[in-house]
Amino acid sequence: AAYYVYFENSSSNPYLIRRIEELNKTANGNVEAKVVCLFRRRDISGNLNTLADSNARDFEEESKQPSVSEQQKHQLKHRELFLSRQFESLPATHIRGKCNVTLLNETDVLAGYLEKEDCFFYSLVFDPVQKTLLADQGEIRVGSKFQAEIPDKLAEIELDTRIQDKLETKVWDPDNQLKDPQIDQFLVVARAVGTFARALDCSSSIRQPSLHMSAAAASRDITLFHAMDTLQKNEYDLARSMSTLVPQGGPVLCRDEMEEWSASEAMLFEEALEKYGKDFNDIRQDFLPWKSLASVVQFYYMWKTTDRYIQQKRLKAAEADSKLKQVYIPTYTKPNPNQIMAPGSKPGMNGAPAGFQKGLSCESCHTAQSPQWYAWGPPNMQCRLCASCWIYWKKYGGLKTPTQLEGAARAGSESGGPRGHMTRQEAQGLSPFTRNEGRAKLLAKNRQTFILQTTKLTRIARRVCMDILQPRRAARRPYASINANAVKAECIIRLPKATKNPQKNRVIPRQSLATIVKDLAITAPLKLKAPRGLPPPINRNQTSQPRGGPGLLGKRPFDNAGGGGGGGGGGVPFPTNGRPFTSGLRTTSQSVIKRQKVNQGDAPNPVVFVATKDTRALRKHLTQSEMRRAARKPHLPVRIKLPPPPPPPRAPPMPLLPSSTSEPIILED
């Protein structure tokens, strides 16, 4: 019997689930277990989790599972495992208990696994090397789609109108004119013909050099089946059957898989059977690719009838007797380093230990009372779990309640961070404004988009506890962490009073899609042909990043046809992002380049705008409040009041500014 156990490799991580294959005693007297690895959902990538979700949906539809709640669906993912063929050796002292893992079949009810403690299931096999998920070949074929549909029995009066020739093929008629001694005589003749045929065949004489071996091979089932088929085809006429058995070209030679395989192929099969067991697909693929699957299966069942199989069975039984059968593992009583309050110590408010914030509750069940607390997640978050949720976390690798998307905010912490906010260093590491060296490392990784989905309680807490949450302040500081559990705990206290005075939601009417498309078509910039004569660039920044031309992604810049507020008649419309405000039209002095083809790795990154000296000089004329207002509304133009121009030189130069200052001047960066 297979034993599934919990192994502990870290005090803060969930248990590992392994299947013990054998127990071995090392040279220094310690006991090691050779185990098969099983993986959880948290151990595989997001793409494979999506594939597992699709397989789970198909199973629910085929087996017609009863509907379950969202929390039960969340907990069922913790009960699903993925089998693998990866072996490892672990010390037996790390075993923390036994569990039960079964192969999922169509008759199982998924909700029943939640009612049983330490019970898991698997239906897919995970390959850690290839990073793939495949259906288990050894599935139990139980269910409606694997059972035969038996028609109703005909009444005595009814006639069977089915055409029997299309439904079945008759291979033997017991009501024939031959007697049993005559049939036995014909079978002896068939065996004699088979022995003579092997004597004439060169390859058979090499494989069975003795007469006894040839006669034994000719007495196998393949020869008898051929003889009985010959009688059936010749309508049980012995004379015609004899002539068919020995045609003019020579006697008919019938050989089965046991005879067709060479000694080296049989040795390869035994080696593969020792490694893979009865997984005939892998045996054929890795050891005998020139054989068909039917040939491998047929050889296996013939090989089980030989003396070779009996000898190997005896050797395995002797090896099993010499190995350890059972090991005594004492109860693990060492203190857990994740305990944040030892029994008997003085608790703080709501049972919080010293050094932890007041008002913290369990991250999973949100309770504030527990005989024992455990630190969970990143240390700077100061998260904790109660005693029951800690045991659940260790056994099942997740929290009881779906507080967040699994794995969405787990970056940087193996135990899974409970916050969706990132630190400043993580935010800067993922920023597209980093240097090329760091950006190349980011592009080398597989970046995946994730969605942070809020629960109904979180959305209610945002409205009820707006004074504590301060959403405007939090939106401007996304790198700062928010104690969501404290907000939810306060929300539960305020919620009975808040329901008496419901807040009115302001309904914002949404325009139709046709109206939005029409507005975009009107405000789209007119694309003009690039002029041939282009002025030389002012500085290097213009050559590397053209002003007014299409961006790296070919996106339209934020332009507005209407004038901005503020300023005066002599102001200059100027956006704060370093690009000229052109009211949707390019001027002849703007540099125009062709649209570039972008690599897939560079495509998701936004364009970086580099300010020139002229831009920085113009920004000095803005006040602090104007800069903040412009930063919050980058799509609106900014009016800048410029100082009066210096007096013209004595020599009559080319006029740089128009004589009338009533019209605004558009400056180029």
Side-chain angles (χ1 to χ4, degrees):
Y3 290 99
Y4 295 90
V5 294
Y6 294 119
F7 274 91
E8 186 173 33
N9 66 338
S10 173
S11 61
S12 57
N13 289 345
Y15 292 138
L16 305 176
I17 297 179
R18 299 292 185 260
R19 186 180 71 195
I20 297 179
E21 291 295 306
E22 59 185 40
L23 296 169
N24 300 315
K25 201 167 187 177
T26 59
N28 54 4
N30 297 327
V31 178
E32 284 191 349
K34 181 183 177 183
V35 295
V36 177
C37 300
L38 288 96
F39 295 88
R40 304 179 190 266
R41 276 179 171 264
R42 67 193 310 273
D43 301 326
I44 64 177
S45 64
N47 295 332
L48 295 182
N49 267 293
T50 305
L51 185 62
D53 289 337
S54 176
N55 179 75
R57 285 193 298 269
D58 295 342
F59 174 80
E60 290 176 4
E61 292 176 0
E62 292 177 0
S63 60
K64 298 178 181 179
Q65 293 286 325
S67 59
V68 294
S69 62
E70 290 297 326
Q71 183 171 354
Q72 287 178 318
K73 288 182 181 179
H74 171 76
Q75 293 181 1
L76 277 174
K77 292 183 179 180
H78 302 156
R79 301 300 185 104
E80 183 177 10
L81 301 177
F82 303 101
L83 185 66
S84 74
R85 294 189 178 89
Q86 178 177 330
F87 290 85
E88 62 182 5
S89 294
L90 296 174
T93 54
H94 288 188
I95 296 176
R96 297 293 178 263
K98 293 172 64 176
C99 58
N100 185 26
V101 182
T102 57
L103 177 63
L104 188 65
N105 63 71
E106 198 179 52
T107 59
D108 285 346
V109 179
L110 290 174
Y113 285 93
L114 299 177
E115 301 172 359
K116 303 174 184 177
E117 193 74 15
D118 305 320
C119 194
F120 301 86
F121 65 88
Y122 77 93
S123 61
L124 299 175
V125 177
F126 173 61
D127 188 348
V129 179
Q130 301 294 333
K131 306 295 183 184
T132 56
L133 276 181
L134 298 173
D136 186 33
Q137 299 295 331
E139 61 176 334
I140 302 174
R141 296 180 175 269
V142 177
S144 58
K145 63 181 180 179
F146 299 113
Q147 307 303 316
E149 295 182 1
I150 303 174
D152 297 333
K153 183 180 179 181
L154 297 176
E156 296 181 358
I157 308 172
E158 289 184 88
L159 297 176
D160 190 359
T161 57
R162 297 176 299 175
I163 303 174
Q164 298 295 331
D165 295 339
K166 293 183 179 180
L167 296 176
E168 56 190 13
T169 303
K170 184 183 289 188
V171 295
W172 183 258
D173 187 5
D175 299 328
N176 55 71
Q177 66 271 22
L178 297 179
K179 298 180 180 179
D180 290 344
Q182 292 177 307
I183 296 175
D184 294 338
Q185 288 175 351
F186 183 78
L187 294 179
V188 171
V189 172
R191 287 196 288 268
V193 170
T195 305
F196 180 62
R198 283 166 176 77
L200 296 178
D201 185 59
C202 298
S203 61
S204 298
S205 61
I206 295 173
R207 294 178 184 179
Q208 289 104 13
S210 66
L211 178 62
H212 293 285
M213 293 179 65
S214 298
S219 301
R220 300 180 68 85
D221 291 341
I222 189 70
T223 305
L224 302 181
F225 290 159
H226 175 66
M228 298 177 75
D229 289 341
T230 304
L231 286 175
Q232 170 69 19
K233 290 177 182 178
N234 292 281
E235 298 178 352
Y236 301 94
D237 187 347
L238 288 176
R240 287 166 54 191
S241 299
M242 288 288 186
S243 59
T244 306
L245 200 62
V246 187
Q248 293 182 356
V252 176
L253 177 58
C254 300
R255 291 190 294 196
D256 54 15
E257 296 296 334
M258 203 67 191
E259 253 184 298
E260 291 286 350
W261 287 44
S262 63
S264 59
E265 290 174 339
M267 294 288 289
L268 281 175
F269 175 80
E270 291 178 356
E271 182 183 349
L273 196 68
E274 181 71 22
K275 181 178 181 180
Y276 292 130
K278 292 195 299 182
D279 197 336
F280 300 117
N281 284 302
D282 287 351
I283 291 175
R284 175 182 174 272
Q285 183 177 356
D286 295 346
F287 284 83
L288 299 162
W290 58 89
K291 296 288 185 182
S292 65
L293 184 62
S295 174
V296 174
V297 175
Q298 189 175 358
F299 179 80
Y300 168 74
Y301 286 103
M302 290 184 174
W303 173 80
K304 287 187 70 174
T305 62
T306 60
D307 295 337
R308 179 79 175 176
Y309 169 76
I310 298 173
Q311 292 175 2
Q312 290 197 1
K313 197 172 181 181
R314 289 174 180 171
L315 288 175
K316 285 185 178 181
E319 289 179 3
D321 291 338
S322 62
K323 291 179 180 177
L324 294 174
K325 294 290 188 304
Q326 58 184 2
V327 176
Y328 173 72
I329 300 172
T331 306
Y332 185 75
T333 56
K334 292 183 180 180
N336 194 318
N338 292 82
Q339 289 183 5
I340 56 179
M341 184 186 73
S345 62
K346 296 181 179 180
M349 181 180 289
N350 294 331
F356 267 64
Q357 298 178 6
K358 295 181 180 180
L360 284 180
S361 57
C362 177
E363 287 288 327
S364 179
C365 63
H366 309 297
T367 183
Q369 300 293 333
S370 176
Q372 179 64 59
W373 295 98
Y374 295 86
W376 181 80
N380 61 322
M381 295 297 185
Q382 293 191 347
C383 305
R384 63 181 185 175
L385 295 177
C386 64
S388 62
C389 292
W390 176 258
I391 295 173
Y392 186 93
W393 158 256
K394 292 290 287 185
K395 287 184 177 181
Y396 306 114
L399 302 183
K400 292 180 180 179
T401 54
T403 55
Q404 61 175 8
L405 290 181
E406 288 280 336
R410 208 175 272 149
S413 175
E414 182 66 22
S415 59
R419 300 286 185 261
H421 290 71
M422 292 186 295
T423 61
R424 186 192 293 270
Q425 291 78 10
E426 290 172 343
Q428 290 177 351
L430 297 176
S431 173
F433 300 98
T434 53
R435 294 184 177 181
N436 291 333
E437 296 85 4
R439 188 166 168 272
K441 294 179 181 179
L442 288 175
L443 293 178
K445 298 180 180 180
N446 184 16
R447 294 175 294 182
Q448 297 178 353
T449 305
F450 62 89
I451 303 172
L452 298 178
Q453 187 175 2
T454 58
T455 61
K456 187 178 292 185
L457 180 61
T458 304
R459 292 194 294 271
I460 294 173
R462 288 175 181 171
R463 304 291 297 274
V464 177
C465 304
M466 192 171 292
D467 56 333
I468 301 175
L469 181 61
Q470 297 180 350
R472 286 180 176 270
R473 180 183 177 88
R476 296 182 190 132
R477 302 173 64 196
Y479 51 84
S481 61
I482 298 174
N483 192 348
N485 284 324
V487 176
K488 289 179 182 178
E490 184 67 23
C491 174
I492 293 173
I493 298 173
R494 297 184 182 183
L495 198 57
K497 299 178 182 179
T499 53
K500 298 178 181 179
N501 300 320
Q503 298 181 1
K504 296 181 180 179
N505 294 327
R506 186 177 61 181
V507 180
I508 301 176
R510 181 181 177 87
Q511 295 180 346
S512 63
L513 183 60
T515 307
I516 296 173
V517 172
K518 187 177 180 180
D519 293 342
L520 290 175
I522 294 173
T523 58
L526 180 63
K527 294 184 180 180
L528 301 178
K529 292 185 178 180
R532 293 185 179 180
L534 295 177
I538 297 174
N539 52 24
R540 290 177 296 176
N541 291 331
Q542 281 191 340
T543 59
S544 62
Q545 183 63 40
R547 301 292 179 257
L552 184 63
L553 300 181
K555 292 183 178 179
R556 180 168 61 87
F558 286 107
D559 294 340
N560 194 351
V572 178
F574 177 78
T576 56
N577 58 7
R579 301 182 65 176
F581 178 73
T582 59
S583 299
L585 297 176
R586 290 197 188 99
T587 58
T588 56
S589 61
Q590 287 178 288
S591 59
V592 182
I593 61 172
K594 293 183 179 180
R595 185 169 180 173
Q596 301 176 357
K597 293 183 178 180
V598 187
N599 295 331
Q600 293 181 358
D602 297 332
N605 294 328
V607 180
V608 179
F609 295 97
V610 182
T612 62
K613 293 181 180 179
D614 298 334
T615 305
R616 288 192 289 270
L618 288 171
R619 286 177 181 166
K620 293 180 180 180
H621 297 283
L622 293 174
T623 63
Q624 193 73 12
S625 61
E626 288 175 344
M627 284 289 291
R628 288 181 179 178
R629 191 182 302 112
R632 293 174 189 147
K633 299 180 179 180
H635 60 283
L636 296 179
V638 179
R639 297 285 180 173
I640 303 175
K641 291 183 180 181
L642 298 177
R650 294 179 182 179
M654 293 294 293
L656 297 177
L657 300 175
S659 58
S660 175
T661 59
S662 60
E663 296 181 0
I665 301 171
I666 300 176
L667 297 182
E668 296 289 339
D669 288 345

